[in-house]
Amino acid sequence: EVQLVESGGGLVQPGGSLRLSCAASGFTFGSYSMNWVRQAPGKGLEWVSYISGGGVTIYYADSVKGRFTISRDNAKNSLYLQMNSLRDNDTAVYYCASTNMDWGLGTLVTVSS
Amino acid sequence: DIQMTQSPASLSVSVGDRVTITCRASQGINNFLVWLQQKPGKAPKSLIYAASTLQSGVPSKFSGSGSGTDFTLTISSLQPEDSATYYCQQYNSYQWTFGHGTKVEIK
């Protein structure tokens, strides 16, 4: 059974940093590209970032470019999102999702003073 | 960016009703379209991919159709457990984009 479990969310002040993790199991992690998608409270879904299976190809949404960094460790079956210079409007539930359309449970990031 | 226009924004229907949700892409997406179901406080769940292929374990009351830029999700006989928000999503581009969602409620 495919499982994606995010962690690392929490409350952070504006300008602060957080590192999210996504632990994958039940599939050959390194064979799949991965994405981060977020959902602000009461809002729709917004794609954040993409990383290819080997980690070579990376893309970001304009809203996070230069502040967020996606990475992966295929030996540890893990995906990461380093988030710096956080803003109020980065407050959201962050999901990892595979290109096989499996989604994690999400982790809540709250940016507030 | 590929824009996804989904309608209606909300539906209030009776148990047993047939439900149809439409989604239009701003350009052709080669049928790289997913329908997602999201219940309150839960993660999205993929129901249909490649516009019309049912994900494993998803009941056959859900079906998808369409091609090019116009797509449809149909729920053949709505049950209380189908109350949720449904999103279309394109994955033709690495930059996934989503419709704004259709909230389906039971009358």
Side-chain angles (χ1 to χ4, degrees), chain A residues 29-53:
Chain A
F29 180 69
S31 296
Y32 289 89
S33 302
M34 296 293 295
N35 295 266
W36 286 100
V37 176
R38 67 185 180 183
Q39 186 171 36
K43 302 297 185 182
L45 299 162
E46 179 191 14
W47 171 81
V48 172
S49 186
Y50 162 99
I51 186 167
S52 61

Side-chain angles (χ1 to χ4, degrees), chain B residues 72-104:
Chain B
T72 300
L73 172 69
T74 300
I75 309 172
S76 60
S77 177
L78 194 82
Q79 298 303 307
E81 63 268 23
D82 302 324
S83 180
T85 299
Y86 294 84
Y87 294 92
C88 61
Q89 174 215 324
Q90 67 80 20
Y91 56 105
N92 183 63
S93 161
Y94 66 84
Q95 184 174 357
W96 293 353
T97 48
F98 302 86
H100 286 111
T102 297
K103 188 172 184 179
V104 176

Side-chain angles (χ1 to χ4, degrees), chain A residues 41-104:
Chain A
K43 302 297 185 182
L45 299 162
E46 179 191 14
W47 171 81
V48 172
S49 186
Y50 162 99
I51 186 167
S52 61
V56 173
T57 303
I58 287 173
Y59 300 108
Y60 298 99
D62 288 344
S63 56
V64 307
K65 201 173 293 182
R67 301 187 298 123
F68 289 11
T69 302
I70 191 171
S71 63
R72 66 190 297 161
D73 185 336
N74 288 343
K76 294 183 178 179
N77 287 344
S78 293
L79 174 72
Y80 306 102
L81 186 68
Q82 177 66 43
M83 304 187 297
N84 298 331
S85 304
L86 283 161
R87 305 167 179 166
D88 290 353
N89 60 6
D90 292 319
T91 294
V93 175
Y94 285 73
Y95 298 101
C96 61
S98 75
T99 48
N100 201 40
M101 304 306 161
D102 293 303
W103 290 66

Side-chain angles (χ1 to χ4, degrees), chain B residues 12-13 30 55 67 69 73 82 99 104:
Chain B
S12 183
V13 297
N30 297 304
Q55 283 281 12
S67 64
T69 60
L73 172 69
D82 302 324
V104 176

